[in-house]
Amino acid sequence: MKQYQLFCLLVLCISKCLTQDPTTTPSSTWNGDPAVCTVDTSTPPVPDRPLPRFPTRVEFALERVEVKHILDITVPSEITMYQYLYDFEANKLILIKNSQGIIDVEYFYYEALKKSTYLRREICLVSDIDTNLDMDGTSAIQGQNNTWHIRPLNEFLLFSSNDPRRPEIRPKFIGQSMVRGIPVDQWETCIIDKSQFRTYRRVWSFAQKGFILPTGVVGDFAVPIQAIINASISFPNGTQAAEVDEIFNIHNYRPGIVESSDQLTPPKGVFCDSGLGQNLISLRDAGITWPDRFTVRVEASSSRSAQWQRFHLRYDHPERGPRRIHYDFLPPGSEHYQSIIHDFGDNLTYTIDHSVGTCKITRGTESPDVDPIVDPIGFFIKNERRFIYRERERIWEFNGYRPCRGDTIRCAAVTSSVDKFPPIVDVDTGKPSGDTWDATSIEYGWSVRAPYARPPSERNKHFDYPVYLFLRMYRFNDLTNPSITNMRTEDIEYEFYEMSPESNPRDFDTSLCYRSLHYDYLHLGFKLEVSDGKAIDGSHLDRRLLERQIHSNLAYLTETSYSRISEVQVDHEDKTNEVTVLFTLLGQTPSPGTVSGVVDSEPKTNETRGRLARAIDEGKFDFIMKLLDDTSSSVHFQAVRGSLKGSKEFMSSHAVGKQVFKETYSSGAEAGAVIGGILVGLLIGILLAAVFRVVRKEPMPDVSKLPASISNPLSSLRTSTNLPSISFHKPKSAEEKKTTSDA
């Protein structure tokens, strides 16, 4: 690149110096370098065979091999790869350039005469598109209605031109040949640029019609295969100053564009500032909105981190309560999972260590600055407001659609940039150093998932699922030399999974802090019933909405903060119209740094309980809910008067579940049961004895010797000489006592 720039600079200096010499030949009498080519005046204005036809939309790759000679010095050849996406109808051009592994991308916006160049796909520079340059096919020309437009493809390739406003380019057919194993028709053109004293000879090779290429059969539209260019820069007196030889090898030429988001969308995470008149939008303008409550799992990585860091984010902004955010994550270097709950209503932060059950409460919701490359989770927590809640600010550039998370999801990409952000944290002290990164580009990728968010809606598109958040930070190592070679960049990426537009009040439960720090709290319970007396079918009720309604009413009727109502549990008893509600009423809001440690102006738990009891007894605890499958029907819930009790008292007096039936018996029935049991046992014993005698082939006892009356068998068994004893073990005879050896 540096050699090419030096070469061009040297040639321009020589040309400029000589063209300003009054003794030189004027350009009007200069007719090009005859050593390269001369215009053949015998070439008919209308060729004897049809010129190649070109489509209005095309994409292709071009390999450019360039060799330069100046003042008898040959500069080493350069190979550069280009990819063109040309669209005459849309008046757009995208050019991707790969030079020695460095990829630059140019987006041409001809209506505005602006060109966005993404250098190394990391930084964007906006410049003007040149107009009416005869030897630059990418320069703009005036189209209809005096608007600027891209050139037709034949002029874009500098193959031919019949426009009287520009020098005529008249191709001449020179025969057929084989190029890269492909039969081709060859055309030659000679172009003379008198203003710059330059001469160009080009030999274009087009695949012959009917030949089968990897991209398909060659049809009516021409398929260029190769172009050989010989160009020279001359002194006005005709002496050659420099010569450039080039070979263009064209691959994958397709009439039409196979639309790929990767090709058509600007590089990821690069904001392009076009200056005044740039049409920036808000997230809402793009159909992107964060719900008022949601839960999502997030994975974070940075350009300096080899491992993904994970955290779970829960967000809640209820209608009657303050905004609250809950993070669950494993801090860097720690073995214990941690929860951070920001309560913006009370301006408190709860830091909970679940492994040991400890809690730390601090005033304020601001988190310290951290090194984003080392701790991307802490960086997200610190700048949550910037990443989540700024939906109405017109700071975003819409960059179209790109495939994300591989090729499985199609995302809408919006990009913004923030100057002097973020602060740089000192590695040794862990505190801000007072310096900042020069700028940070922020790109969001959103997709559509929820069926309810699809059109029709108030907008044509409604993106409800965040897929990724990509940040690229820029900093010049030397502010005296702000160049791309002197620039440092670092990246952070957040991937979002399992997004759900729901949250549960239990996700923001701080009762563990009250228990561990010995603050006041009460476990209470009461009952709800349906006012019309009908049994409740739980399958037709929105359980989440029911819990939120109860939670909101508890906070409203007790005249306390939303966060002081905790651990709400709702149980529906089968085949009844009653609902059991258990919850924890937390004490006064903590006030770190004060003598009492709590907000003394707030009511204590007993006073708050009294307010709720009066509201229930006066019939003020009631609300109406719509059914899930029938929005025209509703259920009216009302608290049962006098049902508010402590949890232990409530549970002992209210059995939840199926009814238990207790059976009682009279004394006569009990005596009869005992006698009957004895008789049954005696009968079973006699039957067993008889069975054993039959099995052992012993004679049954003589019935005439049995006593006339039945006495207690336990007392007379061994005293009566007439009743033989019953044994389950038969005495062994002498023969049975023989051992195996005796046998």
Side-chain angles (χ1 to χ4, degrees), residues 62-196:
L62 187 149
E63 178 190 45
R64 175 186 178 187
V65 182
E66 183 181 40
V67 180
K68 297 178 283 288
H69 314 275
I70 179 172
L71 302 178
D72 297 329
I73 299 175
T74 300
V75 180
S77 62
E78 294 183 0
I79 300 178
T80 308
M81 295 297 299
Y82 299 87
Q83 184 175 0
Y84 290 87
L85 288 95
Y86 168 95
D87 194 333
F88 181 83
E89 297 173 355
N91 202 17
K92 295 289 192 298
L93 172 67
I94 300 176
L95 172 58
I96 304 171
K97 177 182 177 183
N98 186 339
S99 178
Q100 299 178 355
I102 299 176
I103 299 177
D104 300 334
V105 185
E106 295 182 345
Y107 287 76
F108 292 76
Y109 304 97
Y110 284 92
E111 302 93 337
L113 284 181
K114 293 292 183 181
K115 177 175 64 174
S116 299
T117 303
Y118 295 86
L119 301 176
R120 297 193 315 191
R121 301 176 66 90
E122 292 182 350
I123 190 170
C124 177
L125 299 178
V126 179
S127 58
D128 295 329
I129 298 178
D130 294 323
T131 60
N132 295 321
L133 294 182
D134 296 331
M135 298 308 300
D136 183 1
T138 64
S139 65
I141 59 174
Q142 280 191 312
Q144 298 178 355
N145 302 324
N146 293 324
T147 58
W148 294 103
H149 208 279
I150 191 173
R151 298 169 183 250
L153 189 57
N154 62 309
E155 295 185 21
F156 179 83
L157 298 174
L158 299 179
F159 173 75
S160 63
S161 175
N162 293 321
D163 194 324
R165 296 173 297 179
R166 290 178 293 281
E168 185 180 27
I169 301 176
R170 193 178 299 176
K172 180 174 68 174
F173 181 73
I174 60 175
Q176 297 180 336
S177 183
M178 294 287 292
V179 175
R180 303 200 322 255
I182 302 172
V184 296
D185 296 328
Q186 294 187 319
W187 296 77
E188 180 188 63
T189 59
C190 185
I191 306 172
I192 298 175
D193 185 359
K194 294 187 176 183
S195 63
Q196 298 293 329

Side-chain angles (χ1 to χ4, degrees), residues 309-346:
Q309 300 182 28
R310 298 172 175 85
F311 64 99
H312 197 169
L313 169 63
R314 300 174 178 90
Y315 186 95
D316 187 28
H317 195 181
E319 295 179 359
R320 298 184 182 180
R323 188 165 62 102
R324 296 182 297 175
I325 305 177
H326 180 180
Y327 302 91
D328 281 326
F329 65 101
L330 184 65
S334 175
E335 297 180 355
H336 298 163
Y337 277 92
Q338 192 175 93
S339 292
I340 292 181
I341 299 177
H342 290 316
D343 191 325
F344 293 89
D346 295 331

Side-chain angles (χ1 to χ4, degrees), residues 100-388:
Q100 299 178 355
I102 299 176
I103 299 177
D104 300 334
V105 185
E106 295 182 345
Y107 287 76
F108 292 76
Y109 304 97
Y110 284 92
E111 302 93 337
L113 284 181
K114 293 292 183 181
K115 177 175 64 174
S116 299
T117 303
Y118 295 86
L119 301 176
R120 297 193 315 191
R121 301 176 66 90
E122 292 182 350
I123 190 170
C124 177
L125 299 178
V126 179
S127 58
D128 295 329
I129 298 178
D130 294 323
T131 60
N132 295 321
L133 294 182
D134 296 331
M135 298 308 300
D136 183 1
T138 64
S139 65
I141 59 174
Q142 280 191 312
Q144 298 178 355
N145 302 324
N146 293 324
T147 58
W148 294 103
H149 208 279
I150 191 173
R151 298 169 183 250
L153 189 57
N154 62 309
E155 295 185 21
F156 179 83
L157 298 174
L158 299 179
F159 173 75
S160 63
S161 175
N162 293 321
D163 194 324
R165 296 173 297 179
R166 290 178 293 281
E168 185 180 27
I169 301 176
R170 193 178 299 176
K172 180 174 68 174
F173 181 73
I174 60 175
Q176 297 180 336
S177 183
M178 294 287 292
V179 175
R180 303 200 322 255
I182 302 172
V184 296
D185 296 328
Q186 294 187 319
W187 296 77
E188 180 188 63
T189 59
C190 185
I191 306 172
I192 298 175
D193 185 359
K194 294 187 176 183
S195 63
Q196 298 293 329
F197 293 96
R198 300 186 181 188
T199 306
Y200 300 87
R201 176 182 179 269
R202 299 190 175 200
V203 176
W204 281 95
S205 298
F206 298 93
Q208 293 181 10
K209 187 175 181 179
F211 185 77
I212 302 176
L213 294 170
T215 55
V217 180
V218 179
D220 295 334
F221 290 118
V223 178
I225 302 298
Q226 187 184 77
I228 299 177
I229 299 105
N230 305 112
S232 72
I233 302 175
S234 302
F235 298 127
N237 60 9
T239 305
Q240 188 183 84
E243 181 181 345
V244 178
D245 298 326
E246 297 175 297
I247 298 177
F248 292 170
N249 287 312
I250 299 176
H251 305 274
N252 299 323
Y253 183 93
R254 291 187 182 90
I257 297 177
V258 180
E259 292 190 8
S260 170
S261 298
D262 278 338
Q263 295 172 310
L264 303 178
T265 307
K268 186 176 181 179
V270 182
F271 177 75
C272 203
D273 187 358
S274 301
L276 296 175
Q278 184 177 12
N279 184 26
L280 297 179
I281 62 174
S282 68
L283 292 180
R284 284 186 175 271
D285 293 335
I288 296 173
T289 56
W290 285 96
D292 291 335
R293 55 177 59 90
F294 64 87
T295 174
V296 66
R297 183 170 58 85
V298 189
E299 295 188 356
S301 68
S302 68
S303 52
R304 297 296 181 93
S305 176
Q307 295 181 343
W308 288 87
Q309 300 182 28
R310 298 172 175 85
F311 64 99
H312 197 169
L313 169 63
R314 300 174 178 90
Y315 186 95
D316 187 28
H317 195 181
E319 295 179 359
R320 298 184 182 180
R323 188 165 62 102
R324 296 182 297 175
I325 305 177
H326 180 180
Y327 302 91
D328 281 326
F329 65 101
L330 184 65
S334 175
E335 297 180 355
H336 298 163
Y337 277 92
Q338 192 175 93
S339 292
I340 292 181
I341 299 177
H342 290 316
D343 191 325
F344 293 89
D346 295 331
N347 194 30
L348 292 176
T349 296
Y350 299 83
T351 304
I352 304 173
D353 188 334
H354 291 282
S355 60
V356 293
T358 60
C359 178
K360 179 182 177 182
I361 305 176
T362 55
R363 183 169 300 283
T365 57
E366 287 294 324
S367 300
D369 285 306
V370 297
D371 187 343
I373 310 303
V374 177
D375 188 6
I377 296 179
F379 181 71
F380 189 97
I381 296 175
K382 170 66 178 179
N383 299 280
E384 163 270 329
R385 187 82 176 185
R386 184 184 300 275
F387 298 149
I388 293 182

Side-chain angles (χ1 to χ4, degrees), residues 393-630:
E393 296 182 67
R394 296 182 177 273
I395 59 175
W396 301 91
E397 175 189 28
F398 183 72
N399 283 338
Y401 305 92
R402 70 167 84 248
C404 46
R405 200 162 295 160
D407 292 327
T408 58
I409 303 177
R410 190 167 181 258
C411 294
V414 290
T415 309
S416 183
S417 181
V418 183
D419 294 333
K420 303 299 180 182
F421 172 78
I424 295 178
V425 176
D426 187 85
V427 178
D428 298 326
T429 63
K431 297 181 179 180
S433 63
D435 201 358
T436 65
W437 288 81
D438 294 322
T440 295
S441 289
I442 304 173
E443 177 172 306
Y444 255 128
W446 282 68
S447 185
V448 177
R449 189 186 67 170
Y452 67 83
R454 297 184 182 277
S457 67
E458 69 276 11
R459 291 176 291 274
N460 292 331
K461 291 287 185 181
H462 189 130
F463 301 98
D464 70 309
Y465 188 82
V467 179
Y468 68 86
L469 171 63
F470 184 83
L471 290 84
R472 173 165 288 156
M473 294 170 286
Y474 301 91
R475 179 172 171 81
F476 294 106
N477 297 323
D478 183 5
L479 293 178
T480 62
N481 181 27
S483 63
I484 191 170
T485 57
N486 188 36
M487 184 179 64
R488 173 193 170 195
T489 64
E490 298 287 356
D491 300 335
I492 306 175
E493 184 161 10
Y494 300 93
E495 294 278 350
F496 299 91
Y497 300 91
E498 301 173 10
M499 172 76 173
S500 173
E502 290 290 343
S503 68
N504 194 301
R506 287 191 293 270
D507 294 335
F508 307 93
D509 177 29
T510 58
S511 60
L512 185 146
C513 296
Y514 280 73
R515 292 193 294 270
S516 64
L517 298 176
H518 305 291
Y519 287 114
D520 193 20
Y521 63 92
L522 290 175
H523 292 307
L524 302 174
F526 64 97
K527 278 191 172 293
L528 290 174
E529 64 179 358
V530 179
S531 60
D532 57 9
K534 294 181 180 179
I536 307 169
D537 186 353
S539 61
H540 297 96
L541 286 176
D542 188 335
R543 299 290 296 233
R544 293 189 181 93
L545 179 58
L546 178 59
E547 288 187 12
R548 286 198 295 267
Q549 288 277 17
I550 294 173
H551 198 134
S552 299
N553 278 275
L554 285 171
Y556 173 71
L557 294 174
T558 56
E559 301 179 21
T560 187
S561 64
Y562 195 84
S563 58
R564 288 184 62 184
I565 307 299
S566 175
E567 297 180 308
V568 177
Q569 298 181 19
V570 179
D571 294 317
H572 172 216
E573 299 184 6
D574 295 337
K575 300 179 181 179
T576 69
N577 63 341
E578 291 185 344
V579 174
T580 300
V581 179
L582 298 174
F583 70 100
T584 300
L585 176 61
L586 301 180
Q588 295 160 301
T589 302
S591 180
T594 61
V595 176
S596 62
V598 295
V599 179
D600 294 323
S601 59
E602 292 185 353
K604 295 182 179 181
T605 52
N606 289 330
E607 183 180 349
T608 306
R609 174 181 178 173
R611 292 178 181 176
L612 179 60
R614 287 192 297 272
I616 292 177
D617 294 342
E618 294 173 2
K620 295 180 179 179
F621 196 112
D622 66 337
F623 56 90
I624 296 175
M625 276 187 57
K626 296 290 185 182
L627 295 178
L628 285 174
D629 56 348
D630 185 5

